[in-house]
Amino acid sequence: MSEADEVARVAAGLPPYAVSLGIGVERIEAGAPLLTLDFAEKVHGRPGFLHGGAIGGLLEMAAIAALRMALAERGAVPRLKPVNMTVEFLRGGTDRRTYALGRVTRAGRRIANVSAEAWQDDPARPIATAWMNVLLSGA
Amino acid sequence: MSDPLPAFPPAPGAPFDPAAVSSLMNGRGHGGFVGLRYLAHGDDWIEVALPWRADLVGVPETGVLASGPIITLLDNATSMSVWVRSGAFRPQATLDLRLDYVRAAIPGKTVIARAECYRLTRSAAFVRGLAHDGDPADPVAHAAGVFMAMETA
């Protein structure tokens, strides 16, 4: 599958929440979809800054998208149930585009451990990181 | 002429009235987008509601809400519990927030968060919260987090 096809496939699979929040798919990077979220009133938290909930939602979508892609490569399409998630907020997100990329630390038979990072100008200066455990069922 | 609305955000140290401030806080920005609504509060706790909405769904086949809005609900509710406990507004930033997704919320039902600040220091506030969709004994999610007070000039 070409990268453009892969990007279109990931975008088509985003849930209603991701679409209404304004999450987009930029490209495939390091084997995972690079997601974007543009600054808008609907993601605004304290004055001038991104809301932590919007950052958390973006990180979760990036983690799940990375996991789906990794599982698809091994021919598995289980249902994914998030078990838990921790978000660490490192810097305030300001009024510009935010990027997020997930990384599968380990995908076992029943549980996957996935992390994600979000940044704005510089990937080396993340604004937030997250990890989550996801239950894989019906695989 | 109606009374002027209270300023938002309140000035640091201003008395915090969650019932008055919630409509301002949740009528705009990301809280407004997901539709958060103030329900009730006590000395150190607050309840905030997240009504179900089709465009907040994470699993189209079942209508189950995405976990992003649940993060927002618990982030807002735990954040406000700090000001409820202290009785005054203090600018703060979320340091970390952990969520356990105990079960999927029932499609169509309003999710209610009850959050409390159980320890408040000069620099940090420790919070926890539960989200349920009708029965607090059968929660949807559990949260624990820490907020850091912003240094004010």
Side-chain angles (χ1 to χ4, degrees):
Chain A
M1 197 184 292
S2 74
E3 180 172 334
D5 289 346
E6 192 78 66
V7 165
R9 196 183 57 82
V10 173
L14 290 175
Y17 162 73
V19 174
S20 61
L21 195 64
I23 291 176
V25 187
E26 178 95 348
R27 61 174 181 273
I28 305 301
E29 187 169 306
L34 176 65
L35 303 189
T36 61
L37 178 65
D38 284 331
F39 193 84
E41 179 58 19
K42 64 186 170 187
V43 297
H44 201 171
R46 66 192 159 95
F49 291 90
L50 262 180
H51 194 286
I55 298 173
L58 173 66
L59 284 166
E60 175 156 358
M61 289 297 146
I64 293 290
L67 178 58
R68 277 196 201 287
M69 186 168 282
L71 291 172
E73 276 167 18
R74 70 181 197 202
V77 280
R79 286 179 58 205
L80 307 183
K81 291 184 179 174
V83 176
N84 58 12
M85 175 180 200
T86 296
V87 186
E88 289 173 354
F89 297 93
L90 308 172
R91 293 179 175 85
T94 56
D95 58 351
R96 65 197 75 183
R97 176 172 276 200
T98 304
Y99 298 87
L101 187 65
R103 193 174 71 87
V104 179
T105 310
R106 176 178 187 269
R109 209 164 40 81
R110 296 183 59 221
I111 287 282
N113 181 283
V114 193
S115 62
E117 289 202 351
W119 68 90
Q120 292 187 319
D121 297 323
D122 181 357
R125 289 174 55 82
I127 62 166
T129 65
W131 62 258
M132 61 189 305
N133 287 304
V134 183
L135 182 65
L136 316 178
S137 62
Chain B
M1 284 285 288
S2 58
D3 289 337
L5 290 167
F8 184 87
F16 183 70
D17 176 355
V21 171
S22 292
S23 62
L24 295 169
M25 191 170 181
N26 297 331
R28 67 182 74 200
H30 187 58
F33 164 68
V34 301
L36 299 184
R37 286 216 288 269
Y38 163 84
L39 289 181
H41 74 280
D43 288 344
D44 61 353
W45 61 268
I46 185 166
E47 281 184 351
V48 180
L50 167 70
W52 184 92
R53 219 171 67 208
D55 70 331
L56 300 180
V57 160
V59 189
E61 299 77 21
T62 59
V64 169
L65 281 179
S67 33
I70 309 280
I71 302 174
T72 297
L73 170 68
L74 283 159
D75 184 79
N76 264 51
T78 53
S79 175
M80 294 182 76
S81 75
V82 177
W83 305 322
V84 167
R85 175 170 170 142
S86 68
F89 179 76
R90 176 173 82 168
Q92 61 187 5
T94 321
L95 183 65
D96 81 351
L97 187 67
R98 177 206 164 103
L99 277 93
D100 292 336
Y101 300 113
V102 182
R103 65 170 173 82
I106 296 170
K109 282 198 154 184
T110 293
V111 178
I112 294 164
R114 185 183 171 109
E116 66 170 324
C117 173
Y118 65 92
R119 168 85 176 139
L120 181 64
T121 74
R122 255 180 309 187
S123 53
F126 298 84
V127 298
R128 58 190 166 209
L130 275 180
H132 64 85
D133 51 14
D135 179 3
D138 183 22
V140 164
H142 175 267
V146 182
F147 290 93
M148 295 302 295
M150 311 284 285
E151 289 180 4
T152 50

